[in-house]
Amino acid sequence: MTEKRKDYSRAAGAAALGARLRRLSERLDRETAEIYVAQGIRFEQRWFGVLNQIVLNGPMTVGDIAEALCITHVSVSQARRALESAGLIQMAGDKADARRRLISLSAQGDALVAALAPLWAALSESAKELDTEAGRLVPLLDRLEDALDARALSDRVAARLGV
């Protein structure tokens, strides 16, 4: 009989906060990917934020999407390239400002978004259910982000090190 290994991240508590958040994020992404596969849909979860912003706001630039999602320009650019390769988005110049390139859904992207709407609604409701079961985690995550905005982790560590 093999001895069950201790879950380090769980046992470490707040000291392993980043590891726990990464683990949960990876698990949610993996389980969501399995749902897409089970539904016979070729879709990567990392595409959702970009597509959703375009659905909600119409054509947008990479910078606009990055700002709306509070993620890096690089992350949005990588997703954009993958979405473009998959034929789900198209790029066009902004008529109001020729320096800007707007991302919009292609016809294939529009069709996929329409097909995914019921699945995305089910995912959203399931996420809300999980949040409720977990004791309303989302407001706590908001507080964690606010605490980091108020004082970065690097500043907290530097103060403890006397740097």
Side-chain angles (χ1 to χ4, degrees), residues 22-150:
R22 266 188 306 285
R23 182 168 85 183
L24 287 168
S25 177
E26 288 174 4
R27 181 177 183 174
L28 291 169
D29 284 350
R30 182 179 62 252
E31 289 186 15
T32 303
E34 291 168 0
I35 293 166
Y36 287 119
V37 168
Q39 296 293 315
I41 299 168
R42 183 183 172 271
F43 187 81
E44 295 181 34
Q45 182 59 20
R46 68 187 179 108
W47 297 348
F48 175 78
V50 173
L51 283 184
N52 191 49
Q53 285 302 304
I54 296 167
V55 168
L56 294 173
N57 301 303
M60 298 176 75
T61 66
V62 167
D64 293 338
I65 294 169
E67 184 179 345
L69 297 175
C70 298
I71 61 175
T72 66
H73 192 278
V74 171
S75 293
V76 175
S77 290
Q78 290 171 345
R80 180 203 54 83
R81 281 192 296 278
L83 285 162
E84 198 168 22
S85 292
L88 301 176
I89 60 166
Q90 55 197 11
M91 302 292 294
D94 184 348
K95 290 179 178 133
D97 183 347
R99 297 169 297 179
R100 293 170 34 106
R101 304 269 303 149
L102 295 173
I103 305 168
S104 61
L105 293 177
S106 66
Q108 185 179 341
D110 276 327
L112 181 63
V113 165
L116 285 173
L119 176 57
W120 286 348
L123 284 166
S124 179
E125 290 304 312
S126 297
K128 290 174 188 175
E129 178 181 71
L130 278 171
D131 182 55
T132 299
E133 284 180 34
R136 295 193 26 85
L137 179 63
V138 172
L140 296 174
L141 291 172
D142 291 342
R143 287 174 49 192
L144 177 60
E145 281 188 310
D146 293 345
L148 286 167
D149 287 344

